[in-house]
Amino acid sequence: MAAGFKTVEPLEYYRRFLKENCRPDGRELGEFRTTTVNIGSITTADGSALVKLGNTTVICGIKAEFAEPPAESSNKGYIVPNVDLSPLCSSRFRPGPPGEEAQAASQFIADVIENSEIIMKEDLCIANGKLAWVLYCDLICLDYDGNILDACTFALLAALKNVQLPTVTINEETGLAEVNLKQTNPLNIRKHPVATSFAVFDDTILIVDPTAEEEDLATGTVTIVMDEEGRLCSVNKPGGSGLTAAKLQDCITRAVTRHKEVKQLIDKVIKSVK
């Protein structure tokens, strides 16, 4: 009977649970799905991480290459993120060029990198005006069940913390770069941005870490990105129902707690890898 009702009236079915302050999967409204992170799983990458958020799985691989610094800022390198939502991770995505959701996710990650100052682009400069690092950050969704932004932000941060770059010097006589693969250095991670996403039901009820089904039924979503100093790095709200100042404050408070959880998880995994 319940299964039939859920198919015919999915929103009504959800509302019955929300009234009792719980969700069909047994979680409380403010509860995240089980989160795991695995670091350094792609041996061919310069840094990598695999993050699972319930049934949503994202892998991030980072490749570092040389490039000339941009003309307008000769002392900076580049960070190029790309989110890939392929038909393999969910039937909602089609083969071909990146769809709207993948493009929006890539842009979101680019904004997080920029606003949070996770890495200063100056730190990627090897020789002023001559040589800099480009970090290609490929985020591939292997299994899609909602809340792709939190999973991508987490995977990116964990992969960046796993990167080891060789020491590079410029030979004075030849002007060529000399790479010492025996001496590697980690990136200087200056901030640890963590995303916390919410779905809004009936304009008033907030639930954290929505599944794909919950996102589809929601009247809106909002993603809050915080750093370890409790600084708001970005708020992403693509349309949908508005939020009162009090509701937004609720989101920020929950995001601060989530930051601590994620940071502890990353630190623990990095310790075990070392």
Side-chain angles (χ1 to χ4, degrees), residues 1-272:
M1 179 65 199
F5 178 57
K6 184 182 173 186
T7 316
V8 184
E9 290 283 354
L11 189 56
E12 221 22 75
Y13 176 79
Y14 257 86
R15 282 182 183 134
R16 290 188 180 182
F17 281 93
L18 296 176
K19 268 194 196 110
E20 304 299 322
N21 282 331
C22 73
R23 287 140 89 169
D25 61 9
R27 285 187 290 158
E28 288 175 17
L29 305 190
E31 192 182 335
F32 267 81
R33 290 172 285 181
T34 305
T35 309
T36 58
V37 57
N38 183 321
I39 292 181
S41 31
I42 311 176
T43 48
T44 52
D46 295 305
S48 64
L50 176 85
V51 166
K52 281 182 76 96
L53 202 54
N55 292 328
T56 292
T57 310
V58 170
I59 193 158
C60 178
I62 297 176
K63 276 307 253 188
E65 290 179 11
F66 291 143
E68 234 175 78
E72 69 281 0
S73 39
S74 59
N75 64 335
K76 291 183 178 179
Y78 307 83
I79 306 171
V80 183
N82 181 51
V83 176
D84 182 23
L85 301 172
S86 80
L88 292 174
C89 70
S90 165
S91 57
R92 69 170 67 204
F93 305 118
R94 298 274 161 268
E100 210 174 300
E101 196 169 344
Q103 286 177 23
S106 296
Q107 187 55 53
F108 169 81
I109 294 294
D111 292 344
V112 167
I113 292 169
E114 199 65 43
N115 299 339
S116 68
E117 298 179 342
I118 183 170
I119 291 175
M120 299 304 271
K121 288 180 185 163
E122 288 82 351
D123 291 346
L124 298 174
C125 183
I126 299 164
N128 201 335
K130 291 180 186 163
L131 197 62
W133 288 109
V134 184
L135 300 179
Y136 291 102
C137 309
D138 283 313
L139 291 139
I140 298 160
C141 181
L142 304 177
D143 206 350
Y144 182 93
D145 186 18
N147 200 1
I148 191 75
L149 299 184
D150 288 16
C152 283
T153 308
F154 190 177
L156 175 80
L157 176 60
L160 285 170
K161 286 184 78 79
N162 177 240
V163 170
Q164 291 284 339
L165 295 180
T167 308
V168 181
T169 46
I170 303 278
N171 183 316
E172 290 296 318
E173 289 166 16
T174 61
L176 296 173
E178 294 178 352
V179 181
N180 180 355
L181 293 169
K182 289 204 175 89
Q183 251 191 326
T184 60
N185 302 299
L187 289 171
N188 183 4
I189 306 292
R190 295 180 180 246
K191 289 282 187 282
H192 293 74
V194 171
T196 306
S197 292
F198 303 83
V200 190
F201 271 84
D202 297 332
D203 301 341
T204 53
I205 301 169
L206 284 168
I207 63 168
V208 76
D209 181 23
T211 60
E213 184 176 46
E214 288 169 341
E215 284 177 352
D216 290 342
L217 294 171
T219 45
T221 58
V222 61
T223 302
I224 309 275
V225 183
M226 306 290 284
D227 69 14
E228 58 269 46
E229 288 159 18
R231 193 174 64 104
L232 191 59
C233 304
S234 85
V235 175
N236 181 54
K237 189 163 187 326
S241 49
L243 280 183
T244 61
K247 287 281 179 210
L248 193 58
Q249 194 50 56
D250 284 352
C251 293
I252 292 171
T253 308
R254 179 66 185 93
V256 171
T257 314
R258 177 61 177 171
H259 190 289
K260 291 191 183 84
E261 296 164 6
V262 168
K263 183 84 172 61
Q264 277 173 345
L265 194 54
I266 285 192
D267 291 345
K268 199 169 119 189
V269 171
I270 285 174
K271 253 199 200 103
S272 70

